[in-house]
Amino acid sequence: MSDRSAPRYTSIGTGLIVLVVAVAAVLARPAHAEATNSAARPSNTLQSLAELDSKAPSRRQLNIQNWTTAEGARVLFVEARELPMFDLRVTFAAGSSQDGNTPGLATLTNAMLNEGVAGKDVTAIAEGFEGLGADFGNGSYRDMAVASLRSLSAKDKREPALKLFAEVAGKPTFPEDALKRIKNQLLAGFEYEKQNPGKIAGKALFAKLYGEHPYGHPSDGTAESIPGITLDQLRTFHAKAYAAGNAVIALVGDLSRAEAEAVAAQVSAALPKGPALATPAQPAEPKPGSTHIDFPSKQTHLMLAELGIDRQDPDWPALSLGNQILGGGAFGTRLMSEVREKRGLTYGVYSVFSPMQVRGPFMINLQTRAELSEGTLKLVQDILADYLKNGPTQQELDDAKRELAGSFPLANASNASIVGQLGAIGFYNLPLTWLEDFMQQSQALTVEHVKAAMNKHLAADKLVIVTAGPSVPQKPLPAPTNKPSEQPLGVPEH
């Protein structure tokens, strides 16, 4: 995946939980008796987070308005007058899944957006946004590509910022010298990745999991595919993939409905004309099994995966909460407790569902000392098998629900987070009430619901496993203890 200047797109659900586990754990602590001297302090002063116990955290009520532009772009808008600015995110079904037989085409096209427009090179574009106090961002992923703008909402700043944004997103000139430079940057990155066993293992895992499916090739392309991509290919891809009918426009900020309609109309009209692109086909079930990549390092990267769900699957709330208990949070998850806290085998171990347009991956990722890698891999497999067999405990489920309830208000605490969620709701064609629905459905889950959903979509004997590290004699794992004799070795490579 590529993200040149914008924050990485955060998945709704899992992303919310992982991001704020530490805060949520505090908000979800057990209730305490009210202090006897409460009358002695000002009524508007919060003395302790304990005062929040047994109270539903307040959250912004989002009035999501939506419409479609004349050119076919879907628009989602939330008016937020607290700050004199607005956030705009345009999401295109223009990720690497649309590369066809040219891996890297989507990444290169997105990277070239702000390299040139009529009368302006990359420096002039950057200075134009900066001079207006505006910020442009772009990024490319497997499902989607994005272009974003944050600007002051005052008319004298908003209009020129939007004009420049519309040119960048809709009418890039794709200068040849910039293409050569970005190609060289990508090729240098591929050389660097040869020294990173985690990157090597990750690419091999997706290739094993998805085979010839569009999700199977690297989002950034390959050293073989990038050099041959031409300017004509970029222009053709932009004309079809950045078309208004293939776009979702998300707007949040200090704008009236009329102003938001004008903004969306201006952006939509600047884009190429054309319909939405077809969604990729569902991937075929992969063949389970293990692949080892020999690499000279002190640690071995372990990656385990199987096909998960698409974004519209109704089991997503149950799987999201179930994964939170298994390994989707920080300390206290099944995987962290057994692998790190009791045995000191890793710095961190994480599991995640990544639902996409079609079935995205479920993955478990960690690294450990090379001489303990085989035992650690078996331990992780056993933990997953036991979790699927027995499900979560009631206490684990209750704790996960409290963490979600505590973290959920932060999901719409800023305009930047809201605009990202609106983009996802529009792109994946989710109901406008999706955020509230997700919260309510999650809180209503039982142990049986979570266990059934996890077993419906996962199986311990269907894992695709890739390991990368040295081939060394193995040692037995240390016995579990509350005080591991060795500290975890190293920091995970990302």
Side-chain angles (χ1 to χ4, degrees), residues 316-395:
W316 174 227
L319 294 175
S320 179
L321 211 59
N323 179 71
Q324 166 68 10
I325 296 165
L326 173 65
F331 290 96
T333 66
R334 288 278 185 100
L335 288 170
M336 284 288 276
S337 175
E338 294 295 330
V339 183
R340 172 175 170 156
E341 296 171 36
K342 293 183 180 180
R343 294 174 174 85
L345 296 172
T346 186
Y347 183 87
V349 53
Y350 310 97
S351 63
V352 62
F353 280 96
S354 299
M356 299 196 288
Q357 281 185 303
V358 295
R359 295 178 68 186
F362 165 79
M363 298 179 63
I364 299 175
N365 184 12
L366 70 154
Q367 60 191 77
T368 190
R369 291 184 287 276
E371 68 274 13
L372 300 175
S373 58
E374 291 181 10
T376 301
L377 176 60
K378 185 178 185 306
L379 173 63
V380 171
Q381 290 175 284
D382 289 345
I383 293 168
L384 176 61
D386 178 75
Y387 187 62
L388 293 176
K389 179 181 179 181
N390 298 306
T393 65
Q394 186 64 53
Q395 185 64 52

Side-chain angles (χ1 to χ4, degrees), residues 125-275:
I125 291 171
E127 290 175 347
F129 284 121
E130 184 179 354
L132 295 166
D135 181 49
F136 172 83
N138 57 320
S140 180
Y141 313 91
R142 277 189 164 82
D143 268 351
M144 66 185 68
V146 298
S148 63
L149 174 70
R150 171 173 287 180
S151 170
L152 296 171
S153 54
K155 187 175 181 180
D156 62 332
K157 296 292 191 295
R158 180 180 77 235
E159 291 188 349
L162 279 169
K163 181 176 184 297
L164 183 55
F165 176 85
E167 291 175 346
V168 167
K171 298 177 174 62
T173 55
F174 299 110
E176 187 171 3
D177 58 339
L179 178 60
K180 291 179 180 178
R181 171 169 49 81
I182 294 174
K183 281 184 177 181
N184 287 335
Q185 291 172 352
L186 287 171
L187 293 173
F190 298 150
E191 287 299 312
Y192 173 76
E193 288 177 357
K194 292 178 180 179
Q195 308 305 316
N196 187 326
K199 295 288 188 181
I200 295 171
K203 289 186 174 183
L205 183 73
F206 267 81
K208 293 286 184 181
L209 189 64
Y210 285 102
E212 297 301 316
H213 188 271
Y215 287 169
H217 69 259
S219 295
D220 289 341
T222 67
E224 294 72 34
S225 67
I226 290 295
I229 295 177
T230 67
L231 289 173
D232 284 343
Q233 286 177 300
L234 297 184
R235 295 186 182 105
T236 299
F237 185 84
H238 180 269
K240 69 172 185 177
Y242 285 75
N246 200 41
V248 172
I249 300 173
L251 270 168
V252 179
D254 183 25
L255 300 170
S256 66
R257 170 64 183 255
E259 289 170 331
E261 288 182 357
V263 168
Q266 181 178 350
V267 171
S268 179
L271 298 174
K273 306 299 185 289

Side-chain angles (χ1 to χ4, degrees), residues 69-84:
T69 68
E71 295 78 18
R74 186 180 181 189
V75 185
L76 291 90
F77 167 59
V78 169
E79 184 175 344
R81 297 289 192 172
E82 294 86 352
L83 296 172

Side-chain angles (χ1 to χ4, degrees), residues 285 305-310 313-316 318-320 353 359-362 384 388 449-460 462-463:
E285 285 288 343
E306 52 189 282
L307 294 181
I309 60 170
D310 60 52
D313 195 295
D315 289 330
W316 174 227
L319 294 175
S320 179
F353 280 96
R359 295 178 68 186
F362 165 79
L384 176 61
L388 293 176
H449 289 146
V450 173
K451 179 182 176 182
M454 295 293 285
N455 279 276
K456 177 181 176 182
H457 296 281
L458 298 179
K462 290 186 178 181
L463 289 167

Side-chain angles (χ1 to χ4, degrees), residues 380-464:
V380 171
Q381 290 175 284
D382 289 345
I383 293 168
L384 176 61
D386 178 75
Y387 187 62
L388 293 176
K389 179 181 179 181
N390 298 306
T393 65
Q394 186 64 53
Q395 185 64 52
E396 287 175 324
L397 182 60
D398 291 344
D399 289 345
K401 287 182 179 181
R402 283 197 297 269
E403 288 176 355
L404 177 59
S407 67
F408 199 74
L410 299 183
N412 54 19
S414 70
N415 291 352
S417 62
I418 296 172
V419 80
Q421 292 167 8
L422 294 187
I425 289 171
F427 183 81
Y428 292 111
N429 198 29
L430 302 171
L432 297 183
T433 58
W434 193 90
L435 290 170
E436 289 295 331
D437 293 347
F438 174 83
M439 183 64 174
Q440 293 173 7
Q441 292 165 13
S442 297
Q443 294 300 318
L445 291 168
T446 66
V447 167
E448 290 72 22
H449 289 146
V450 173
K451 179 182 176 182
M454 295 293 285
N455 279 276
K456 177 181 176 182
H457 296 281
L458 298 179
D461 60 354
K462 290 186 178 181
L463 289 167
V464 175

